Amino acid sequence: MGVLNVTPDSFSDGGLWSDPARAIRHALEMADAGADWIDVGGESTRPGARPVSVEDEMKRVIPVIREITAARNVRVSVDTSKPEVMVAAAEAGALMINDVYALRLPGALEAAARLGLPVCLMHMQGEPRTMQDEPRYSDVVAEVESFLLQRAADCVAAGIPREQILLDPGFGFGKTVQHNLELLRQLPRLAAHGFPVLAGLSRKAMLGAITGRDKDKRLAGSLALAMLAAQGGVSVLRVHDVAQTRDVLDVLAAVWPDSAVTE
Ligand code: 9MG
């Protein structure tokens, strides 16, 4: 899954793709490089980010989604928490909802159920503005797991079929480096529940802490994490560097033909 942030302020590529024509070109390049999904977002979720209005988010993402789906046979997911944006994105051709709030905002669960699209439910402690201010857990894996399973049950109760639900531990969303590493080690436990697991590790701050490198120098670390996540049972990897990640997955699939990552 290739990341397309149509925002002025996302953590790794903020401002790069806020011009719609460049954003669409980049999306098509990621598709050509082997992305099965393009995840289009119009509101930054980096630590400290401020919310944007429904209108501004729509203006950013809807024309881009429409153009991408018209130009190529690539599936688009919409990275949003707002029900209005979910509905407009689906009308524009989006085929999945990626929600870092796991459909907890008012009206989001009902909108997603009505649309009948697959949903990715992500765990986040707190909200982006403050989530990295001393995150605490007594058992991070158990708490993330129980939150995600409860949200999945809520989705099923609202009418979303179980097969349409993906789970995501939310690396870097209200977590220290140690929390992230523990979740990474325990990915097989999350994958064992039978829901496809999506992971976003690409260029994240934990790599800065581990390697000491800036965001634009984290490719090798991102690929190492992609490999580890794939071996841990992840089905979808949300990444910035599509071609290089594709190579990693091709190597993995050559060694272990039954490895889990499909997209
Ligand atoms: C939007 N976004 C940023 N990071 C993410 C991650 O790790 N997972 C998901 N599902 N979405 C993310």
Side-chain angles (χ1 to χ4, degrees):
M1 170 184 277
V3 177
L4 187 67
N5 289 317
V6 195
T7 55
D9 58 344
S10 284
F11 92 102
S12 157
D13 52 359
L16 267 183
W17 318 117
S18 32
D19 167 47
R22 285 187 70 180
I24 292 155
R25 232 179 7 255
H26 182 55
L28 300 183
E29 282 162 9
M30 290 194 286
D32 292 342
D36 297 307
W37 289 92
I38 305 295
D39 190 40
V40 181
E43 176 172 22
S44 173
T45 51
R46 75 178 158 76
R50 305 219 157 253
V52 299
S53 68
V54 172
E55 293 70 30
D56 286 347
E57 195 177 326
M58 294 251 213
K59 266 190 241 154
R60 291 176 187 176
V61 299
I62 301 305
V64 171
I65 293 174
R66 198 171 288 120
E67 290 275 341
I68 297 171
T69 52
R72 267 296 190 301
N73 192 17
V74 59
R75 290 171 286 172
V76 167
S77 66
V78 61
D79 153 22
T80 190
S81 302
K82 300 186 181 75
E84 300 88 340
V85 180
M86 293 173 191
V87 172
E91 280 166 11
L95 292 176
M96 178 156 72
I97 296 163
N98 172 30
D99 185 1
V100 300
Y101 280 90
L103 304 177
R104 282 178 293 153
L105 295 197
L109 179 57
E110 296 73 14
R114 267 196 311 277
L115 291 170
L117 297 182
V119 294
C120 176
L121 308 172
M122 198 198 78
H123 176 273
M124 168 167 57
Q125 187 179 82
E127 38 138 9
R129 204 169 47 80
T130 52
M131 65 189 176
Q132 289 308 103
D133 302 345
E134 294 189 57
R136 274 174 216 275
Y137 300 83
S138 50
D139 179 338
V140 66
V141 176
E143 287 171 49
V144 168
E145 179 182 47
S146 107
F147 169 85
L148 290 174
L149 293 178
Q150 183 57 56
R151 288 309 293 154
D154 294 343
C155 285
V156 171
I160 300 176
R162 191 186 154 89
E163 311 72 58
Q164 304 252 60
I165 298 172
L166 293 85
L167 304 182
D168 181 343
F171 291 102
F173 283 81
K175 283 139 193 134
T176 63
V177 173
Q178 289 310 318
H179 294 142
N180 290 321
L181 294 175
E182 189 54 23
L183 285 164
L184 188 62
R185 284 189 283 267
Q186 297 289 331
L187 276 172
R189 170 168 160 184
L190 188 57
H193 295 287
F195 295 97
V197 173
L198 185 151
L201 291 151
S202 176
R203 301 185 189 173
K204 284 207 171 161
M206 67 186 285
L207 285 168
I210 295 168
T211 65
R213 297 195 187 276
D214 288 341
K215 291 183 271 286
D216 56 343
K217 301 257 166 22
R218 295 180 189 161
L219 174 61
S222 299
L223 296 178
L225 290 180
M227 173 74 108
L228 288 165
Q231 291 191 306
V234 160
S235 297
V236 184
L237 284 164
R238 184 179 182 277
V239 303
H240 300 85
D241 302 290
V242 170
Q244 296 89 339
T245 309
R246 193 83 248 176
D247 283 357
V248 166
L249 298 180
D250 287 347
V251 170
L252 185 64
V255 179
W256 300 111
D258 295 332
S259 62
V261 175
T262 50
E263 288 159 7

